[in-house]
Amino acid sequence: WVTSNSDSDNFLQCLSLFSQPSIPVSKIIYTPNTSSYSSILQSSIQNLRFLSPTTPKPQLIVKPLHESHIQGAVICSKKHGMHIRVRSGGHDYEGLSYMSDIPFIIVDLFNLQSISVNTEDNTAWVQAGATLGELYYRIAEKSRTHGFPAGSCPTVGVGGHFSGGGFGTMLRKYGLAADNVIDAHLVDVNGKILNRESMGEDLFWAIRGGGGASFGVIISWKIKLVAVPPTVTVFRVEKSLEQDATKLVHRWQYVADKLHEDLYINVVIGVENGKQKGERTIQVTFGSLFLGDVKELLPLMEKDFSELGLERQDCIEMNWIESVLYFAGISEEESLNVLLDRVRQSNDSFKAKSDYVKEPISEIGLEGIWKVFLEEETPIMILSPYGGKMSEISDSETPFPHRKGYIYEIQYLTYWEEVTEASKKHIDWIRRLYSYLTPYVSKSPRASYLNYRDLDLGRNNIGNTSYTQASVWGIKYFNNNFKRLVRVKTMVDPSNFFRNEQSIPPLLSWG
Ligand code: FDA
């Protein structure tokens, strides 16, 4: 797999056969000698942990302006033994879309970002390089009563997000983004463009939650838009430990997945400075989107979660697109155009993990989490309720298996500023928290969410990886669906061309 300069030259020559006269290959290729190479490489990197001078860099970046450039990149890299990484929004938690331990090139879909929304038949085609913010903006431009159930961060790319599941504040009503994908265009390992019909239901199933990177390059998705009411209601209620935050989180676990499906209440836990100098304390925020007005919301809260003490003045009515800004933490003063902004929002390094809870955690268990939290500088934990639509979709409908019986998902992260020796300290901390949570979270398997990628769960060999070895992480993300993903992979990419540290291995590549 060690590629030489002549491999790169041959690759470029080969790629030029796929470019149109109007777009010379020089317009889509960036080498380390190109002045914009570094800024393009860094443009969408979200986790500064992977922006250090020692992070392996690509030999080339191909930035397709046309589908044929993706076909060319696949065919030519296969022919000349180049390893590829595909990047859409660059939000991968472990940097797998722009980093590899073996020589590689990046196919960066940044320029493929067109979106066409059809409110007549409630669908849209979205190219993989578009962001969630762009998608939400284009939907709202056409209608204030259509929406799409995907993640909260506007800069996330739809290429990676939909292919790994994708959830946000409407998942209790409409499920995951992947549950609402109805067609896709993909470049396969032979460089062919396939749609749902020509790829067949197995491959179409695999790319809706199994991670696109194992199966091909997704060019675009066709999605089903969903109905949102003209008025939605949001609230954010903060509680300190003195205000019974522990009891409230404990109680929340018994109601969060059983509330009306129009009501989503998540919990964000962080650490704040206390009243005394040097004192640090736990802060808990209950954040909610309700698909209706405040008149309907208050009685529901009174009936099911009166302990929170929600009052009229805690609530804000708005339309759905404004709620998108609210949950992205963007000021209401900002114009909606901010959703089109692709500039990196994070200036931090981070490490994250995920878990699922099937039995409420005891108050003592929660207090233990607070204790571990106070050992860290900038920890965050987000509890996202399931139930509703999530419980109605079968475990095998898509590769994403965490459905009925899962009360909520936990995501925990720690942030720090610089990539230094200190990184280890933060990573050690989050591993300690993972270990602390063991008795409280799902078991056999201990479930994880692919889009919150965590290489601690296990990684493939640089060479071939056996089914058994990949099962260690694969079962956590996909449970019983892992087997079918391996079958699909074996069928569509037996030579394991599309691979990374956590790609689905084909059976033929048993090492
Ligand atoms: P990126 O381009 O890094 O790709 C991620 C993976 O998909 C890589 O393996 C890549 O090779 C592959 N891939 C990308 N494009 C592809 C294509 N066209 N064809 C084939 N493979 C492709 N999740 C969530 O469910 N809800 C949320 O609210 C959020 N919020 C959030 C906020 C922030 C700040 C971050 C950093 C991340 C999230 N996420 C999230 C997680 C997010 O869903 C996850 O990181 C996605 O994989 C990101 O997709 P991108 O295209 O941006 O990533």
Side-chain angles (χ1 to χ4, degrees):
W1 287 345
V2 176
T3 49
S4 62
N5 284 344
S6 67
D7 287 325
S8 296
D9 292 345
N10 291 336
F11 172 82
L12 289 178
Q13 248 176 23
C14 173
L15 191 63
S16 63
L17 301 176
F18 291 84
S19 58
Q20 296 82 11
S22 58
I23 313 174
V25 76
S26 59
K27 283 236 155 52
I28 59 164
I29 289 288
Y30 301 84
T31 70
N33 298 327
T34 316
S35 60
S36 51
Y37 168 89
S38 291
S39 63
I40 287 174
L41 175 62
Q42 294 173 12
S43 59
S44 65
I45 293 181
Q46 290 293 315
N47 193 343
L48 299 208
R49 193 149 61 97
F50 306 117
L51 208 83
S52 83
T54 55
T55 306
K57 307 282 185 300
Q59 294 171 303
L60 288 171
I61 303 172
V62 185
K63 232 174 142 188
L65 287 163
H66 190 269
E67 295 174 353
S68 64
H69 300 146
I70 307 179
Q71 296 178 281
V74 169
I75 291 169
C76 300
S77 29
K78 202 168 149 203
K79 187 162 168 204
H80 296 290
M82 320 273 289
H83 177 58
I84 73 170
R85 292 289 159 119
V86 179
R87 180 164 80 171
S88 287
H91 283 57
D92 194 280
Y93 277 16
E94 299 277 13
L96 300 194
S97 56
Y98 51 85
M99 216 180 68
S100 167
D101 287 335
I102 55 173
F104 69 109
I105 66 169
I106 294 178
V107 178
D108 187 332
L109 302 183
F110 183 94
N111 289 321
L112 299 183
Q113 47 180 268
S114 85
I115 297 171
S116 65
V117 173
N118 184 341
T119 49
E120 301 279 292
D121 68 357
N122 305 323
T123 63
W125 272 103
V126 197
Q127 282 194 311
T131 63
L132 294 179
E134 288 162 346
L135 173 61
Y136 298 150
Y137 181 93
R138 296 293 167 213
I139 295 172
E141 204 176 38
K142 288 254 172 109
S143 156
R144 292 292 157 114
T145 51
H146 287 77
F148 190 68
S152 306
C153 170
T155 53
V156 166
V158 306
H161 186 66
F162 295 4
S163 74
F167 77 86
T169 51
M170 293 203 288
L171 102 157
R172 303 197 61 250
K173 173 91 172 180
Y174 293 115
L176 306 173
D179 298 329
N180 294 280
V181 167
I182 50 178
D183 202 342
H185 289 169
L186 162 143
V187 173
D188 76 357
V189 67
N190 300 314
K192 273 207 183 128
I193 296 182
L194 306 176
N195 63 14
R196 178 173 184 171
E197 198 185 342
S198 52
M199 77 177 80
E201 285 304 304
D202 275 327
L203 180 52
F204 184 63
W205 172 86
I207 58 173
R208 286 174 298 142
S214 302
F215 301 100
V217 184
I218 290 138
I219 308 169
S220 54
W221 304 103
K222 185 178 187 184
I223 56 172
K224 197 168 65 190
L225 303 179
V226 301
V228 294
T231 303
V232 305
T233 308
V234 298
F235 69 77
R236 217 175 262 140
V237 173
E238 291 186 5
K239 296 285 179 187
S240 63
L241 294 185
E242 290 82 52
Q243 293 166 315
D244 274 343
T246 310
K247 277 199 165 35
L248 285 169
V249 176
H250 184 248
R251 173 73 189 143
W252 172 88
Q253 301 175 98
Y254 288 87
V255 296
D257 64 320
K258 298 176 194 73
L259 294 168
H260 192 286
E261 62 178 15
D262 287 343
L263 181 52
Y264 172 91
I265 307 178
N266 72 8
V267 179
V268 179
I269 298 149
V271 171
E272 292 216 331
N273 288 330
K275 290 189 195 102
Q276 314 291 330
K277 193 163 178 270
E279 186 199 12
R280 295 170 80 238
T281 178
I282 298 292
Q283 185 74 28
V284 172
T285 306
F286 294 84
S288 172
L289 172 72
F290 175 61
L291 296 169
D293 61 27
V294 73
K295 275 203 315 288
E296 298 165 86
L297 170 64
L298 290 174
L300 283 179
M301 287 297 290
E302 187 51 38
K303 177 165 82 65
D304 294 323
F305 196 19
S306 60
E307 296 85 347
L308 189 62
L310 186 75
E311 296 189 15
R312 173 75 183 79
Q313 62 265 29
D314 298 320
C315 304
I316 315 171
E317 289 184 333
M318 53 180 62
N319 56 43
W320 174 76
I321 194 69
E322 290 165 340
S323 81
V324 167
L325 295 193
Y326 183 85
F327 278 96
I330 299 169
S331 151
E332 59 194 68
E333 314 283 294
E334 291 274 359
S335 97
L336 289 186
N337 288 341
V338 70
L339 293 174
L340 304 178
D341 198 347
R342 300 181 68 122
V343 174
R344 184 175 65 228
Q345 293 182 334
S346 150
N347 272 319
D348 289 317
S349 297
F350 67 89
K351 170 75 189 159
K353 290 182 172 293
S354 60
D355 259 309
Y356 282 85
V357 174
K358 297 176 105 172
E359 298 288 337
I361 301 177
S362 63
E363 282 188 39
I364 290 175
L366 292 173
E367 278 161 2
I369 299 177
W370 310 160
K371 227 161 127 193
V372 183
F373 246 56
L374 290 170
E375 293 166 10
E376 180 61 343
E377 284 157 32
T378 320
I380 286 203
M381 184 177 256
I382 305 169
L383 316 182
S384 303
Y386 277 30
K389 182 79 178 172
M390 290 299 280
S391 302
E392 289 163 21
I393 298 174
S394 94
D395 300 1
S396 57
E397 182 74 24
T398 71
F400 181 97
H402 318 310
R403 307 281 187 173
K404 198 171 177 185
Y406 289 85
I407 307 178
Y408 63 97
E409 186 245 18
I410 310 183
Q411 177 182 202
Y412 37 120
L413 309 95
T414 174
Y415 292 89
W416 64 98
E417 265 175 28
E418 280 167 47
V419 187
T420 58
E421 299 300 298
S423 302
K424 183 176 174 317
K425 172 178 96 180
H426 301 292
I427 292 173
D428 286 349
W429 173 82
I430 205 163
R431 288 178 180 158
R432 254 196 338 272
L433 181 54
Y434 187 77
S435 161
Y436 171 81
L437 286 171
T438 309
Y440 301 109
V441 295
S442 61
K443 298 168 188 59
S444 312
R446 182 167 181 177
S448 292
Y449 173 36
L450 179 69
N451 268 345
Y452 296 154
R453 191 189 305 285
D454 178 6
L455 287 181
D456 288 352
L457 301 179
R459 61 169 82 203
N460 296 344
N461 299 332
I462 287 181
N464 291 341
T465 297
S466 72
Y467 176 87
T468 314
Q469 192 185 345
S471 302
V472 173
W473 55 264
I475 301 278
K476 291 187 163 67
Y477 290 138
F478 307 116
N479 206 351
N480 294 329
N481 295 327
F482 181 63
K483 254 194 218 124
R484 183 171 173 197
L485 285 169
V486 172
R487 274 207 308 276
V488 178
K489 173 74 175 181
T490 309
M491 210 161 64
V492 303
D493 181 23
S495 67
N496 205 15
F497 173 73
F498 292 113
R499 64 183 181 277
N500 62 40
E501 290 78 351
Q502 278 187 346
S503 59
I504 306 290
L507 276 179
L508 300 180
S509 73
W510 279 30

